[in-house]
Amino acid sequence: MKFTFTCKKVPLNDSIKEYAEKKISKLDRYFPKEADAFVIFAVEKNNRCVVELTIRSSNGTLFRAQEEDPDGDMRSAIDGAVNFIDRRIRKNKTRLAKNLRAEALTPDVPAEFDVVEDAEFNVARTKRFTVKPMSTDEAILQMNLLDHSFYVFRNIDTNEINVVYRRKDGDYGLIEAE
């Protein structure tokens, strides 16, 4: 696995880097080809450690986790992020392999790691609505007026379907299809 480390408001020492490489390398067994791991270390208010881990498989599938440790223990946050991705892969390994058809995950995971999967995703409700052309600012305003966490709209500048969403940090994000 190839690693890329980034630090925000915290110096990176070698012991943390080595610990992260050792823990994240355990996920290698799921990927038949070399994957890329992007790790962001940050320290936020009240000495809270945050680790954001993104793994991109050779076929482009992304796995992402963000873990925080309120006690300031970076190793604990690393463990949490790795465990989150491991659980997510194990829970969905059959569905991922079947749907992606590109061997994103190796099919021969040991039996002790088998997890009972849900048979299907339960779609509780389907909505249909007219997508109106508007600017990004108008879409954010409409999302806030509806008190939703995201809003689908047609971008008036590009005439493409976009999504705006509210981020955990209070800012907004924009998703543009390629």
Side-chain angles (χ1 to χ4, degrees), residues 11-161:
L12 178 66
N13 65 39
D14 289 337
S15 67
I16 296 291
K17 180 181 173 184
E18 290 169 6
Y19 184 83
E21 285 180 3
K22 179 181 172 188
K23 289 294 186 173
I24 297 167
S25 292
K26 291 179 181 180
L27 298 174
D28 262 343
R29 67 177 179 253
Y30 295 120
F31 304 99
K33 296 181 182 173
E34 189 164 306
D36 298 318
F38 303 94
V39 186
I40 299 174
F41 299 103
V43 174
E44 296 183 353
K45 296 177 185 173
N46 301 327
N47 201 29
R48 204 173 40 147
C49 290
V50 178
V51 172
E52 183 179 318
L53 171 60
T54 304
I55 298 177
R56 181 184 303 268
S57 69
S58 59
N59 68 355
T61 304
L62 290 173
F63 300 92
R64 184 178 177 282
Q66 180 175 331
E67 287 294 323
E68 301 177 2
D69 185 74
D71 300 327
D73 184 11
M74 195 65 77
R75 286 176 173 80
S76 176
I78 292 168
D79 290 344
V82 170
N83 289 338
F84 180 85
I85 289 179
D86 186 55
R87 282 190 314 270
R88 190 66 57 179
I89 289 173
R90 285 187 290 127
K91 180 178 180 185
N92 294 295
K93 70 177 180 163
T94 306
R95 191 174 287 129
L96 283 168
K98 181 174 58 177
N99 289 348
L100 296 176
R101 293 188 187 108
E103 294 184 14
L105 307 174
T106 56
D108 54 335
V109 176
E112 67 264 18
F113 293 112
D114 281 346
V115 176
V116 177
E117 288 188 39
D118 298 334
E120 293 290 323
F121 293 113
N122 183 25
V123 177
R125 183 175 180 184
T126 301
K127 284 187 172 184
R128 298 190 194 294
F129 57 94
T130 305
V131 181
K132 297 179 181 177
M134 60 180 68
S135 70
T136 304
D137 290 341
E138 289 173 298
I140 291 172
L141 177 63
Q142 186 66 46
M143 175 184 67
N144 288 336
L145 290 172
L146 294 170
D147 195 29
H148 287 177
S149 57
F150 70 94
Y151 189 77
V152 179
F153 69 103
R154 183 173 299 279
N155 192 318
I156 200 162
D157 298 327
T158 63
N159 205 30
E160 298 289 326
I161 300 294

